[in-house]
């Protein structure tokens, strides 16, 4: 029996469990530790799910996903429906892609700071990870020479997260172009996780803008754009062979995302402009509040290009200690060490009601002085 759990621990999950326990004991915790929006799923989406269920769409269905939804996603991204497969959340999409690409060995290059799951998924499928450090002082840009030096004959994949969790930084277009050129030259697949792109404050480039032949893969989802985290629906865009292979994996695992959830997601895409712009405006307000308060308190950070996160730095901070002390004071955030070797940073998720964020930020600023 192989046990994975020791290796797969991360303080991000530990803090969350602790926060839940404190809440169950009756303590009030301001939850700024996870990217789980406080807002409700838009009512039109909920109604669409309900109507679909009432219409009897409660059976097994295609492991590719529903035709109408794949067509709509294809239209949004300017690809063909055969290049799209539906998954239960984009986390599973990332897992499935890494599993298929890395299960026979090889290494994956992951720029840091990273979304915690990339590293844990790579380890869980037995792949080697090569971490590529980026720094706040360089605007979190990937250094292309360092990237090229990390590539070896066993490199199978480069993961990009654009805009990034935890920094909320969108990639510079030139860097993105270089990376695609390097990956094409070295025959390495890029997995581009673009879950924050549609609600990014400024328009960001997609890997699809450089990849008409689908050598690379995009993972995306509905959780962030449509406030649908608990619905568990996401998708992958790739070449037909890759999509067929993911579908085979779907067939032997969850089979299909419930059709009524796919119908709800379709409604979300149909109302995309209206929903995404309202969500964006709300997060922009929060990001402005956070950046004003954090700057006044002396934190350093890059201005968020996308909603949800700020990743401040304080010189000589022990972020794990800071995070635990802050939890005792009723505010949950995530330590920088959950996203790589970033002991002086911590991540604030702006995914609570504005009044709670305000109190949480005040407590954070107080705790740092
Ligand atoms: N990618 C990134 C960068 C994320 O931050 C998250 C969620 N925190 C996900 C993927 C997963 O989202 P979901 O599975 O809900 O689509």
């Amino acid at each position: 029996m192989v046990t994975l759990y020791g290796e797969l621990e991360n303080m991000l999950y530990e803090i969350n469990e602790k926060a839940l326990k404190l809440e169950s004991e009756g303590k009030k915790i301001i939850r700024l530790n996870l990217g789980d929006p406080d807002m409700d799923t838009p009512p039109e989406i909920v109604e669409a799910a309900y109507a679909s269920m009432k219409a009897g769409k409660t059976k097994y269905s295609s492991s590719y996903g529903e035709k109408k939804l794949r067509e709509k996603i294809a239209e949004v991204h300017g690809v063909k429906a055969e290049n799209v497969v539906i998954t239960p959340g984009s986390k599973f999409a990332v897992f499935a892609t890494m599993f298929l690409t890395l299960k026979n060995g090889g290494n994956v290059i992951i720029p840091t700071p990273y979304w915690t799951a990339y590293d844990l998924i790579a380890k869980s499928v037995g792949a080697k990870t090569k971490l590529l450090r980026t720094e706040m002082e360089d605007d979190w840009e990937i250094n292309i020479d360092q990237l090229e030096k990390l590539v070896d004959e066993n490199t199978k994949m480069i993961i990009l997260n654009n805009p990034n969790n935890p920094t909320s930084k969108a990639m510079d277009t030139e860097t993105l172009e270089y990376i695609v050129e390097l990956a094409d030259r070295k025959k390495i697949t890029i997995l581009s996780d673009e879950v924050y792109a549609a609600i990014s404050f400024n328009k960001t480039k997609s890997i699809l803008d450089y990849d008409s032949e689908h050598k690379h893969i995009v993972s995306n989802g509905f959780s962030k754009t449509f406030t649908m985290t608990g619905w568990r629906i996401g998708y992958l865009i790739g070449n037909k062979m890759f999509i067929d292979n993911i579908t085979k994996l779907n067939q032997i695992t969850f089979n299909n995302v419930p059709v009524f959830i796919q119908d709800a997601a379709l409604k979300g895409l149909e109302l995309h402009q209206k929903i995404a712009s309202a969500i964006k405006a709300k997060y922009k307000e929060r990001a402005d509040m956070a950046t004003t308060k954090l700057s006044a308190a002396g934190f350093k950070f890059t201005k968020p290009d996308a909603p949800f996160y700020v990743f401040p730095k304080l010189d000589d901070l022990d972020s794990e200690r800071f995070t635990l002390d802050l939890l005792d004071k009723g505010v949950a955030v995530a330590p920088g060490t959950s996203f790589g070797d970033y002991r002086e940073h911590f991540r604030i998720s702006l995914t609570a009601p504005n009044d709670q964020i305000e109190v949480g930020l005040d407590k954070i600023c107080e705790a740092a002085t």
Side-chain angles (χ1 to χ4, degrees), residues 52-64:
S52 176
M53 266 185 260
K54 283 206 289 193
K57 300 219 198 143
T58 53
K59 311 281 187 201
Y60 289 140
S61 191
S62 163
S63 295
Y64 281 99

Side-chain angles (χ1 to χ4, degrees), residues 89-91 115 118 161 165 193 195-196 223-224 232 309:
S90 71
K91 191 184 257 184
W115 176 45
Y118 303 135
N161 180 203
N165 170 7
D193 177 344
V195 287
Y196 297 102
S223 292
K224 319 290 176 180
R232 310 314 302 133
Y309 310 112

